[in-house]
Amino acid sequence: MAARGLIVRYTTPLHKSRGNILQCTARRNASAIAVPTSTASEHIECDVTKEASVPNPDPPADSPTAAQLSEHTPYMVATYVRPPPMMVKGEGCYLWDAENRHYLDFAAGIAVNALGHCDPEMAKLLYQQARTLIHTSNLYHNPWTGELSKQIITKTRSAGAMHTASKVFVCNSGSEANEAAIKFARKVGKTRTPSGTQHEILSFHGSFHGRTMGSLSATPNPKYQKPFAPMIPGFKYGTYNDESSINELITEKICGVIIEPIQGEGGVNVATPSFLQALRTRCNEVGAVLIYDEIQCGLARTGQLWAHQILPKSAHPDILTTAKALGNGFPIGATIVNEDVANCIVTGDHGTTFGGNPLACRLAHYIFSRLSDPELQSSVQEKEHVFRKHFTRLQQKYPHHVKEVRGRGLILGLQLATDPTPVVTAARERGLLIITCGTNTLRFVPPLVISDGEIEEGCAILEKAMDVVFGKGGEEVEGTKGQQEMAPVGR
């Protein structure tokens, strides 16, 4: 039965507390929530009347959102395919769109908003620092680049991760962090073999290291490499978790090996400890640098500060890259290196105009202090169990459709037997945002501060979405394209 007509008028912003948000979740079909709108959407000040058969229907072609998109789209490079809703506000684990519908967010900006949307303390610090000093360039010292670097090294080592962590290069994004790692590995190779023969980089199928030319060259997806071919010379690719091929792949020509301990975009694939240990051993034998890309799986997402933290010291990396949650939505990345790597880098070898600016570093300092809290990390492990309880139920209910659960902490993948995008659509239309990865995999990377009640709420919506798509006499639901950074070939 159709929900009653939903009438929304944008008015003076009315703040809602987190408690009120949870209360109004139960009334999603009965009332609209007045929320602040962004400057970009202030001209959408009209009545919206809409009959809907689902709680959160996508805005139709005659909606104010569609009108604004029609106005903006001609001026935007078409690098992404997006679903119809336009998000204008976030608070905690919820987002609101321009039609004033709200969504529980299990995507967190692709594992970025670890502390949720618009964390109050972060907003306060942003305001304070923006009134004090935003940017000076790296031609001058500022107090926050060094303070953040010290914090990262100190807390990483005290947590039992990368025990040789020594110095930090601060940049603006994950792709830049990996570019720096690749350059640093090549510089190490050139320092050790001045002839230049030790220059090759090894990465693995299913990986995603970024979109700039170096990081893209380390991301072996033909669909995304082909338009920009040829790639940078000297990159080789191996099979993830295949220990038998390591000695053949890692020769004395290899200067660096880059790997995600948990592949995010590739399908939430978890590297085995023995595979990572074998990589470390072989890198030691040939003098290659081992790089762990923890841009998506690091910073407490697994329930430890770093995903590799469960490994013995003998499997720790020489370089560790991070971004995403480090800024909780503000652009920042970092490349952490040991002393041997740092000693090969001299003034002028690398740099950045914006990286390490005092605004980004002050925010990251606060965020890192929150994410390095053992209490928060312990809660992530507990929340994993809540998710897995519901996923097990879904496997039992739909055994022909739900095949496997993968991941650790709050980076989890639900492997489906068929295209998951209709489930993405059905969930969004019922107030839940989820994304995909790999081949036919639903990915769950919610804010780390999500409550058990919010997990229960979201998983109930997920089950309803699967009932619609997989149940007897299930509806024909159009899939949502573009809900992962890099879709598999043929998608």
Side-chain angles (χ1 to χ4, degrees):
M1 183 175 67
R4 73 177 191 175
L6 185 63
I7 302 175
V8 179
R9 181 185 294 276
Y10 282 86
T11 58
T12 303
L14 173 65
H15 179 74
K16 288 279 186 180
S17 70
R18 183 173 178 83
N20 286 339
I21 291 171
L22 293 175
Q23 292 172 17
C24 68
T25 296
R27 307 194 300 269
R28 183 181 287 120
N29 297 345
S31 64
I33 307 159
V35 296
T37 61
S38 66
T39 302
S41 62
E42 284 178 353
H43 75 277
I44 309 179
E45 295 183 292
C46 61
D47 289 342
V48 179
T49 304
K50 186 177 182 68
E51 290 292 327
S53 60
V54 291
N56 281 38
D58 285 341
D62 61 350
S63 67
T65 297
Q68 189 171 13
L69 291 177
S70 295
E71 178 186 343
H72 292 171
T73 301
Y75 302 98
M76 299 168 63
V77 178
T79 52
Y80 280 85
V81 177
R82 301 175 178 92
M86 177 185 290
M87 303 306 174
V88 297
K89 174 182 166 58
E91 183 175 347
C93 296
Y94 292 86
L95 286 170
W96 284 262
D97 69 13
E99 309 293 330
N100 220 17
R101 299 179 181 91
H102 79 286
Y103 306 80
L104 179 54
D105 185 7
F106 275 9
I110 317 181
V112 168
N113 301 106
L115 300 181
H117 297 281
C118 301
D119 176 78
E121 184 64 21
M122 178 182 171
K124 177 183 175 182
L125 290 174
L126 194 157
Y127 174 76
Q128 291 176 349
Q129 188 62 39
R131 287 172 57 89
T132 304
L133 183 65
I134 295 176
H135 175 76
T136 62
S137 86
N138 282 296
L139 300 180
Y140 307 100
H141 294 290
N142 80 75
W144 289 106
T145 310
E147 196 65 36
L148 173 63
S149 299
K150 177 183 176 182
Q151 179 192 49
I152 289 174
I153 296 300
T154 302
K155 288 187 176 295
T156 293
R157 296 179 70 162
S158 64
M162 190 179 175
H163 66 289
T164 58
S166 175
K167 291 180 171 58
V168 180
F169 171 76
V170 184
C171 53
N172 307 285
S173 69
S175 191
E176 288 181 55
N178 283 336
E179 288 283 342
I182 291 167
K183 287 182 68 176
F184 292 171
R186 283 214 163 160
K187 182 66 188 296
V188 171
K190 184 150 288 192
T191 301
R192 291 174 177 172
T193 57
S195 65
T197 56
Q198 191 177 23
H199 70 277
E200 293 181 346
I201 301 288
L202 173 66
S203 62
F204 295 89
H205 293 289
S207 64
F208 177 73
H209 298 295
R211 294 182 180 272
T212 49
M213 283 303 289
S215 57
L216 181 61
S217 297
T219 302
N221 187 318
K223 181 177 180 180
Y224 293 94
Q225 287 187 345
K226 187 176 180 180
F228 308 102
M231 291 292 101
I232 295 175
F235 284 78
K236 295 171 61 176
Y237 312 120
T239 300
Y240 199 73
N241 277 334
D242 180 10
E243 295 181 39
S244 65
S245 64
I246 287 178
N247 287 349
E248 181 181 350
L249 287 168
I250 304 177
T251 68
E252 292 184 351
K253 292 183 178 180
I254 295 289
C255 66
V257 175
I258 183 168
I259 185 169
E260 299 162 271
I262 301 177
Q263 291 183 332
E265 287 294 326
V268 192
N269 304 309
V270 182
T272 63
S274 61
F275 182 63
L276 296 175
Q277 179 65 73
L279 288 178
R280 172 75 275 176
T281 300
R282 184 59 177 165
C283 283
N284 291 343
E285 291 171 354
V286 302
V289 170
L290 180 60
I291 305 163
Y292 285 167
D293 174 349
E294 294 210 22
I295 289 165
Q296 186 163 158
C297 65
L299 292 179
R301 186 147 290 278
T302 61
Q304 291 87 23
L305 181 58
W306 300 107
H308 75 270
Q309 198 169 309
I310 62 172
L311 301 172
K313 290 181 178 180
S314 58
H316 286 187
D318 302 294
I319 299 177
L320 176 64
T321 59
T322 184
K324 286 191 179 288
L326 184 61
N328 203 57
F330 199 91
I332 189 170
T335 307
I336 305 163
V337 303
N338 65 19
E339 199 69 35
D340 290 340
V341 174
N343 287 339
C344 293
I345 308 302
V346 299
T347 301
D349 278 349
H350 196 49
T352 170
T353 298
F354 296 106
N357 69 76
L359 178 56
C361 288
R362 185 177 185 188
L363 294 175
H365 186 273
Y366 159 71
I367 294 159
F368 196 93
S369 69
R370 289 278 306 276
L371 298 179
S372 58
D373 178 11
E375 186 174 337
L376 179 142
Q377 294 166 21
S378 178
S379 75
V380 169
Q381 297 174 36
E382 294 169 1
K383 292 165 188 175
E384 175 187 356
H385 297 313
V386 181
F387 267 107
R388 285 186 176 271
K389 175 189 70 174
H390 287 282
F391 291 164
T392 298
R393 170 180 166 81
L394 291 174
Q395 280 184 292
Q396 293 170 345
K397 188 173 185 178
Y398 293 111
H400 299 297
H401 297 281
V402 182
K403 295 299 184 182
E404 183 185 7
V405 181
R406 294 191 295 270
R408 282 170 45 203
L410 290 180
I411 176 169
L412 298 169
L414 205 57
Q415 183 64 52
L416 303 187
T418 55
D419 178 13
T421 60
V423 177
V424 173
T425 300
R428 184 179 66 251
E429 290 178 336
R430 287 155 180 81
L432 175 68
L433 300 178
I434 50 177
I435 55 177
T436 60
C437 61
T439 302
N440 298 337
T441 308
L442 291 172
R443 177 172 27 163
F444 300 85
V445 282
L448 304 186
V449 295
I450 193 168
S451 68
D452 287 0
E454 288 164 336
I455 297 173
E456 298 282 351
E457 176 195 350
C459 287
I461 298 173
L462 176 63
E463 183 170 356
K464 290 177 183 177
M466 288 191 174
D467 289 344
V468 170
V469 177
F470 300 146
K472 290 183 178 180
E475 298 177 18
E476 190 71 28
V477 180
E478 184 177 350
T480 300
K481 297 180 180 179
Q483 298 300 283
Q484 63 191 79
E485 284 285 348
M486 287 196 168
V489 177
R491 172 67 56 81

